[in-house]
Amino acid sequence: MKHHKRIFGAFGGILLAAANGFAQDSRSNPEPNSASTSSAASALAAACAQNQTEFARFLTVRNKDSFSRMTPAARLALMKRFVLLGEPGKAAISANPSGRPIVRCETPGGTTEMQIGGADIHDNVAFLPLELQEATDSTGASAHQINMGLVREESEWKLLSLGVLLLDLPALEVEWDESEIEATEKDALESLKTITSAVESYRKKYLRLPESLANLAPPARGKPGAEAAGLLDSELAKGEKNGYAFRYVIAGASDLGAPAKYELSATPLKYGRTGRRSFFRDSNGGFHAADRQGAVGTETDPKVE
């Protein structure tokens, strides 16, 4: 719940400030049960579940293309802004007595209820008042009122804005990726450790090292075996995940038994955007990290835990 409140505090002021600006531009009569309202509810539900594929359905063609190029960490950060929760949750859509949609997002750290008001539609643009508050708050002290913008594209309503956050992803995708570098680098180091555990499990079972990361992949069919042991997910087994490239090298002439050694590396696919530090696992099991301008790290780099 502490993390839940922290995100409310971080974004509440920004989003609340934008509500007044949009409200002043709203001149048409609210439509309580419009297609735009339904699209807004579905988009919030996708953001709650952190379902990137479903959320992308509610992006314009231009934004959807940029969204696909962003790192997973940046895409998650964008979706979190829509529900003010840091964890994936279980979404449920219901209606209040007036028929207005309510999206409930339940996570281990807290639950948010988002009530969507009637849409003010101006030609191909719609603005919907959105009230967010913690589900356990009976006084309304945690409530935030903001406006959500949508635009009609090819007869469907797509996300346009949330408070002051205008969804111009082609202009912002690099900035979003850069803001998530710390999280992406942390994930790269954890992936190196995951690969290490998979290699050691393979060695223990087959009494030798795998020839490549592909030997650790899930089997295409049938049971796991020496050619596809099912010890890594398909992305890591292909050597690329979340903005980093991973390399596995057998160090020495032999891959047999416990004495056989290997090295691992993780380097950013787009230096300065998906990461700055290169990570390296030496043949003795030590982990290192340094900013090498996108080049492969070495065992002389500073050690990390």
Side-chain angles (χ1 to χ4, degrees):
M1 181 62 74
K2 288 182 179 179
H3 185 57
H4 170 62
K5 290 182 177 178
R6 187 162 60 249
I7 292 185
F8 256 87
F11 298 121
I14 295 175
L15 300 180
L16 197 58
N20 294 332
F22 279 131
Q24 292 172 359
D25 292 334
S26 299
R27 292 181 295 273
S28 61
N29 294 323
E31 296 184 7
N33 295 302
S34 67
S36 60
T37 305
S38 176
S39 293
S42 296
L44 290 172
C48 166
Q50 295 184 8
N51 185 327
Q52 298 181 23
T53 301
E54 181 67 12
F55 184 77
R57 288 184 52 233
F58 301 99
L59 297 176
T60 63
V61 172
R62 185 168 179 265
N63 282 335
K64 186 175 182 179
D65 183 56
S66 293
F67 186 74
S68 69
R69 291 194 299 266
M70 292 165 61
T71 62
R75 293 197 293 266
L76 288 177
L78 176 62
M79 290 187 290
K80 288 175 185 177
R81 287 213 178 189
F82 280 79
V83 292
L84 303 183
L85 290 170
E87 304 169 278
K90 182 179 180 181
I93 301 176
S94 58
N96 68 7
S98 300
R100 301 276 171 82
I102 296 176
V103 181
R104 182 181 176 91
C105 184
E106 183 177 355
T107 77
T111 300
T112 296
E113 286 187 348
M114 296 161 278
Q115 181 168 295
I116 303 172
D120 284 333
I121 300 177
H122 307 260
D123 297 325
N124 290 319
V125 176
F127 293 108
L128 300 90
L130 180 65
E131 183 173 283
L132 302 86
Q133 73 176 57
E134 297 176 19
T136 57
D137 178 14
S138 58
T139 65
S142 66
H144 297 288
Q145 295 180 348
I146 62 176
N147 268 45
M148 193 172 180
L150 293 94
V151 60
R152 201 190 326 253
E153 182 180 82
E154 297 178 350
S155 302
E156 294 184 351
W157 288 101
K158 306 292 184 178
L159 295 171
L160 174 66
S161 62
L162 182 71
V164 295
L165 179 63
L166 178 66
L167 296 187
D168 184 10
L169 297 188
L172 296 174
E173 61 178 287
V174 173
E175 179 181 334
W176 274 85
D177 278 348
E178 289 178 347
S179 70
E180 297 301 317
I181 279 181
E182 183 178 349
T184 305
E185 289 184 344
K186 181 179 179 181
D187 186 69
L189 180 58
E190 289 302 314
S191 291
L192 272 192
K193 294 178 180 180
T194 297
I195 294 172
T196 298
S197 296
V199 170
E200 294 302 332
S201 295
Y202 187 100
R203 186 211 300 265
K204 183 177 180 180
K205 185 170 184 178
Y206 299 106
L207 305 180
R208 62 180 176 84
L209 295 176
E211 294 180 3
S212 69
L213 293 180
N215 296 130
L216 305 174
R221 62 182 64 85
K223 296 181 179 180
E227 295 302 313
L231 297 170
L232 287 180
D233 63 48
S234 57
E235 284 185 285
L236 273 182
K238 291 178 181 177
E240 287 188 10
K241 187 172 184 177
N242 197 16
Y244 266 78
F246 298 88
R247 187 181 71 169
Y248 162 76
V249 177
I250 296 174
S254 174
D255 64 355
L256 297 174
K261 295 185 176 182
Y262 59 95
E263 296 172 345
L264 297 170
S265 66
T267 54
L269 287 170
K270 296 180 181 178
Y271 175 76
R273 178 169 172 180
T274 64
R276 293 190 180 90
R277 291 191 294 169
S278 295
F279 298 92
F280 186 80
R281 187 257 188 209
D282 64 42
S283 60
N284 294 314
F287 291 90
H288 307 261
D291 185 341
R292 288 193 160 268
Q293 303 292 306
V296 176
T298 73
E299 61 185 9
T300 63
D301 295 336
K303 283 195 170 184
V304 293
E305 294 296 328

